[in-house]
Amino acid sequence: MSFASLQNKISKAWSLRYVDSRKMGALGNELLAAGLAANNSTELAYGKLLFAVSNFLNSKDEHVLDYLLDAYAQFEKDADVHGLARTAAFLASVYDNYGAYETALSYVQQGLRFVQDVEDKELESDLYANAGLIYTRVSDLENAERSFLKSLSM
């Protein structure tokens, strides 16, 4: 698959995450299959990211953390800042869901650093909102309010 075609498929799938996450998962599975067939680590990483996010949003735990951690490691190898930002955002959500708030906040902070490089205001807003939720859970209401206000200002 060409780089442009891959980026187009990723963008299409990512835009579906809150609208039709099942279709997003199907596109992730397509990328997984294509990546395996072509031995393409980037396609595999994005396939894992999309599949894991789809499962997480559909309350399925199947492979979510493993696939996100695998994708994150591959994006680090590839220096793919957009992949790192997206993956960090959902790793934060997963760890928040597991009650591992310090780890979740760590991934939020990593995601916020990466998102500065890709100038994705929607993802940045999501990360700040996620931080607000996590700070609320640990009773740090001052940082929660700051995070929510940043999210709303985007």
Side-chain angles (χ1 to χ4, degrees), residues 18-121:
Y18 298 124
V19 179
D20 189 351
S21 58
R22 292 188 200 300
K23 187 168 185 177
M24 176 196 195
L27 291 170
N29 279 333
E30 287 177 24
L31 283 176
L32 276 170
L36 285 170
N39 197 24
N40 183 317
S41 59
T42 301
E43 284 179 290
L44 278 171
Y46 273 103
K48 286 180 178 183
L49 169 62
L50 297 173
F51 181 80
V53 168
S54 171
N55 277 359
F56 179 74
L57 293 174
N58 287 297
S59 299
K60 296 179 185 174
D61 200 30
E62 181 184 355
H63 303 296
V64 171
L65 188 56
D66 292 337
Y67 275 17
L68 287 173
L69 291 171
D70 286 351
Y72 194 86
Q74 186 60 50
F75 294 138
E76 279 185 316
K77 260 190 223 174
D78 296 344
D80 183 335
V81 180
H82 213 149
L84 284 165
R86 289 174 173 173
T87 308
F90 276 92
L91 278 166
S93 293
V94 169
Y95 280 110
D96 173 40
N97 197 44
Y98 291 161
Y101 304 123
E102 285 184 33
T103 304
L105 284 171
S106 173
Y107 278 109
V108 166
Q109 296 306 318
Q110 290 175 48
L112 287 169
R113 282 195 306 276
F114 297 131
V115 83
Q116 299 304 315
D117 294 335
V118 296
E119 299 178 13
D120 184 334
K121 291 297 182 189

Side-chain angles (χ1 to χ4, degrees), residues 1-8 43:
M1 181 178 306
S2 73
F3 181 76
S5 177
L6 175 62
Q7 290 303 312
N8 186 40
E43 284 179 290

Side-chain angles (χ1 to χ4, degrees), residues 114-134:
F114 297 131
V115 83
Q116 299 304 315
D117 294 335
V118 296
E119 299 178 13
D120 184 334
K121 291 297 182 189
E122 180 186 2
L123 183 56
E124 186 175 4
S125 178
D126 286 350
L127 282 159
Y128 277 117
N130 202 0
L133 288 170
I134 298 164

